[in-house]
Each structure stands twice: as C-alpha cells, then as structure tokens.
Amino acid sequence: MLKRTIKTFVARLFAAPAKGPKRLAQSQHGIDPDLVSRHAFKVCEVLQQHGYEAYVVGGAVRDLIAGLEPKDFDVATNATPEQIRPLFRRARIIGKRFKLVHVVFGREIIETSTFRAGDSQKQQTDAHGRILRDNEYGELLDDVNRRDFTLNALYYDPITEEVIDYHNGVEDLKNRVVRMIGDPDTRYREDPVRMLRALRFAAKLNATIEPQTHQPIQKLASLITNVPESRLFDEMLKLLECGHALRCLEQLQQEALVPYLLPFLEHSLADPEQRLFLEIALARTDSRVRSGRNTSPSFVFAALLWKAVQEQWEKRLKAGSPPVQALSEASDIVIEEQSRTLPIQRRYQGDMREIWFMQPRFERVNNRAIWRMIELPRFRAAVDFLQLRAEAKEVDSIMAQWWMDLADSQNTETRAAMIEARPTAPRSTTTRRRRTPRRRPKNTATQDTSSNE
C-alpha cells in the first residue's frame, strides 16, 4: 500500500504542469462558436457575471475540436451547488455523494458541477486501488488533474472563445492520440472503467492509444468486475452507441475484456456465420448513430445475444421441446448467464424477449393473428430484427420484406388488402415435434349397455 501511495504521489507530481496552462485562441483550437449550445453559453455567462469561473468541459469540448456534434454539454465552475441554483429559474440539485446542478432549458439540461479536489487524505480506496469516496471541492487545477485523458482535460470559455489546456490535450486530439494523465496503472486501478473509455475514444476518434496508456489494460482487465453494475452497464451502452460499436467489440476482445462483459460474444466473434450477423446488426446501429437517429438498447442487446439464444433454442428443439417453450427456456438461460457478468436492466430484458419471441411467429402465423401482432408494442422493432436475419440469410428475404411493407403502411385498408392477398408463408426451417393423434373416446352409452348385459 505504501509503495502504491508513493507511486501515485510521484505520478501526480510529474503530471502537474510547471509552466501553467496554454490559453488557445479560436484560430488555434478551431471550435465553431455556432455549434456551442446557447444554453451552455448562458450558464457560463450568468456564472461569470456573478464573479465565478465557468467553462464548458469534457466530451463536448473534445467533440467540437474533433469536428463532431456533441450529444450534450456540461459546465464546470468554482461555484458550489448552493450558489448555482438561485441564479437560474429552473435548476435543481441532484446527487448525494457529490452534488450536481441540472439547469433546465426546455428539453436541454446543462449539467453543472463544482470543481473537484485532487488527492487528499480523505480519499477512500479498496484493496485494488479503486476510489470509493472522493467528494471534495477544489480549484481548477485540481479538477484538471482529476480528469482521465488529456483530450478530456480541456476547458472552453464560450465568452472569450479560449480553450484552457494544461496537458497538451488539443495537440493529442489533433494527432489522434489517447493519453492518460498521470500513471496509467494507478489511474486504471482508481477507476477500471477508464479502460473501456480509452478503447471507446480510440474507436470513436480513429485514434491510437499511447503505448504507456495501452500497456496495463490487458493485465488489469479483471478489475472491471469491481465496478458497480449500473455504472458498468451505462459505460457499455456508451461503447455500443458511439457509432463504432464493432471496432469497440474487437478491441474489447483483443484486450481480454470480453469475458468480463459479454462472454457469449467470444464465440460469436470467432465464428464466421455468427460474426456476419453481428457485423450487419452493429453496422445498422452505427449508421443510425451517425445520422443522428435514436437507437434502442434492448434492440442492440437482442442482436448481440441472438446467436447464443438460437443455439440454446435448437438444442431444446432437438430434445423434443415445443418451439415456444424451447425459445422461452433458451432466452432464460442466456439472460441468466449474461447477468452473472453484466446484468441487463429488466426493462430491456422484457423488450428483448418480445423481439425474440415474435421471430418464429413471422414464419408461421394466420391472417387473424397478424392483426394482434401489429398492436404489440415491439412489433416494429421485431420487424427490423427480422430484416437483420434476412440480410444474414437466416430467413426468406421476400417474406421479411412483406412484413416491413406491412409495418411501414399506416393505412388500415392497405394493411387489410395486404393481409388478404398475403402469399402462403414459407414453412419454418425450425423443426416441430409431431403431436400424437388423440384417440376418439368410446361411446359411453355403449359401454354402459354392455356392462349391464
């Protein structure tokens, strides 16, 4: 423990810049002020008018410099939550361990946080070095040195249009380099999620991970199991919805992180047929993200685990289970197994099951049942999933297109005509267990008469 403490101290000492920060003008950092949220600008302006420091920080600054459109905007300030809230008409303090302020402007929320302190005697860590409690307020320099990567330690003042850069983050960003602030081994131990973030930033920015930053990841991969499940799930969602999901999964596999997150994917990524389905599904997800459309976590996870479900389903069919029961059991097994490493939230589990359970119904359904299927909440998602399967040559493409045309049609009369003229659905490749024909019961009257004789 003493050795680690000394190592941390030395790393922090060398991480702190000796010459102060660079203050980069707009011509140097290239941020287009028109792309900055006017509400984030307003929050900074109001705080500065009241004598506080205030900057747009984090991912928004990184994306603006990289030429990407930020999803949201965060502000950091030296004002405390109690000082921030009265300055805005619609603001609320959230959080217990470390308070934040959500300043609300219609549908946009500007998350505003107070600068956080660096190392202190009150910082609590577990046996592996992961920070458990760290809720001290600090100054700008403290907040900077707490940041994980140089490209995230950038502070943009929308009033002066300057970027404050303590760790050459703008240069790293323009050179497409992901570099840790401080000693990488120590920083990963403090927060193992940083390993996932490094891979995500490298994939999203088409960047390389600086060698010292990259070297400890595979060695420390097992520490990811110490992260709280909810936080790990949120980080995994960001990874899958960053617009470069397949590359992220490949990197997770290379760094030996897949077994601790999505164990079923090890086999799927190695098998050409299963990998094809994943590539198609993730390519569509990435396309939606890049075009600014919404994605569904339940749909993404349903695609990631479909091949595992399919394998378990086929095993139970061969054992003689009825198709519906076999699919239900297969879904339970896969979700339960997945929950041992990275539990998927229950609300998403329900949606995933609906998507899976509708797949065999598309292949064998009568016209009356089609109307009931159309009313199901996840009907459209299930049809989209059927399209993935058709592209991967799992099901008949003509049948899949007919369902897509039906889903796209909003007119009841058009739908009725389509259903009435529907071609005979091709028989499912899924084997069904033959039912034993029932014997007709003997005539009870005859039995009674013969017994009386």
Side-chain angles (χ1 to χ4, degrees), residues 50 53 131 139 157 177 253 264 323 341 348 359 366 392 434:
H50 285 81
E53 294 179 83
I131 295 177
E139 303 298 326
D157 185 339
V177 176
Q253 187 181 35
F264 286 112
T341 52
Y348 298 137
Q359 298 310 304
N366 60 51
R434 291 186 178 182

Side-chain angles (χ1 to χ4, degrees), residues 157-267:
D157 185 339
I159 315 303
T160 64
E161 297 184 12
E162 283 185 332
V163 167
I164 299 177
D165 183 0
Y166 278 87
H167 293 288
N168 293 320
V170 172
E171 183 178 347
D172 281 345
L173 189 53
K174 291 186 175 181
N175 291 331
R176 304 296 194 213
V177 176
V178 178
R179 189 190 310 273
M180 182 70 77
I181 297 174
D183 175 59
D185 190 286
T186 303
R187 301 308 303 277
Y188 288 138
R189 289 182 182 277
E190 289 176 350
D191 185 2
V193 161
R194 287 171 178 153
M195 293 185 284
L196 302 185
R197 289 167 61 81
L199 300 181
R200 173 161 60 91
F201 295 146
K204 181 177 180 178
L205 300 171
N206 192 25
T208 58
I209 302 176
E210 184 266 335
Q212 289 186 347
T213 302
H214 180 261
Q215 188 272 330
I217 294 178
Q218 195 168 112
K219 177 185 70 174
L220 301 177
S222 62
L223 294 182
I224 206 75
T225 59
N226 299 324
V227 178
E229 293 174 353
S230 59
R231 183 158 181 259
L232 194 58
F233 182 81
D234 289 342
E235 196 61 38
M236 194 64 197
L237 268 186
K238 291 179 183 178
L239 189 146
L240 293 171
E241 297 179 343
C242 72
H244 303 272
L246 183 61
R247 187 179 175 194
C248 286
L249 289 182
E250 290 173 338
Q251 290 184 327
L252 289 177
Q253 187 181 35
Q254 292 170 8
E255 304 303 332
L257 281 160
V258 167
Y260 305 107
L261 297 167
L262 296 162
F264 286 112
L265 286 191
E266 281 195 291
H267 178 59

Side-chain angles (χ1 to χ4, degrees), residues 67-87:
L68 304 173
E69 183 179 354
K71 286 187 176 181
D72 46 44
F73 286 80
D74 297 335
V75 168
T77 176
N78 60 345
T80 65
E82 290 73 21
Q83 292 169 328
I84 298 168
R85 185 172 61 176
L87 303 182

Side-chain angles (χ1 to χ4, degrees), residues 435-441:
R435 293 183 179 179
T436 304
R438 295 181 180 179
R439 293 184 178 181
R440 299 180 66 178

Side-chain angles (χ1 to χ4, degrees), residues 30-38 60 63-64 67-70 73 156:
I31 291 178
D32 183 352
D34 291 336
L35 298 180
V36 179
S37 163
R38 60 190 179 91
D63 289 349
L64 286 167
L68 304 173
E69 183 179 354
F73 286 80
Y156 176 65

